[in-house]
Amino acid sequence: MATTAMTLGIIGLCTSVVFIGGPLAVIGLILGIAALMAAKRTGTGRAKAVTAVVTSSLAIVVSGLVAVLMVWYANKTQQCYQPDGLRQYTQCVREHLNGN
């Protein structure tokens, strides 16, 4: 269980920028906590369980920050979503992000 949780935590951290990591990290965190409880009873797998909890927690935080930044960006540039071309879109985004 600790190995699975650690693997999910690491994969979740690596993919948290593309939102896939968030759900994987939640599963990894749950399994990591369960593995920590099992490690108290058995005395094995504690290091992997701690790694799972830490990496899963970081992945959840990174996924949350990415979500907040994406919502902020979408809100800031919502008037630019129907441009005639890429050049017009990039110009519109620059104007809105610079406050012009």
Side-chain angles (χ1 to χ4, degrees):
M1 184 170 13
T3 303
T4 303
M6 184 179 73
T7 303
L8 284 172
I10 292 170
I11 292 172
L13 186 58
C14 292
T15 59
S16 60
V17 176
V18 291
F19 299 114
I20 297 168
L24 291 177
V26 169
I27 296 167
L29 183 63
I30 292 168
L31 288 176
I33 292 170
L36 271 176
M37 290 181 203
K40 285 182 183 178
R41 288 191 311 267
T42 63
T44 59
R46 180 167 167 68
K48 287 182 180 182
V50 169
T51 302
V53 170
V54 169
T55 55
S56 295
S57 299
L58 285 173
I60 292 168
V61 168
V62 170
S63 290
L65 287 174
V66 168
V68 167
L69 287 174
M70 291 298 288
V71 168
W72 173 82
Y73 178 82
N75 185 41
K76 196 80 165 157
T77 61
Q78 64 186 344
Q79 295 174 351
C80 303
Y81 290 146
Q82 296 179 349
D84 293 331
L86 182 61
R87 180 173 285 145
Q88 184 181 1
Y89 173 76
T90 56
Q91 180 181 0
C92 180
V93 168
R94 284 185 188 144
E95 289 174 3
H96 281 85
L97 291 179
N98 289 333
N100 295 335

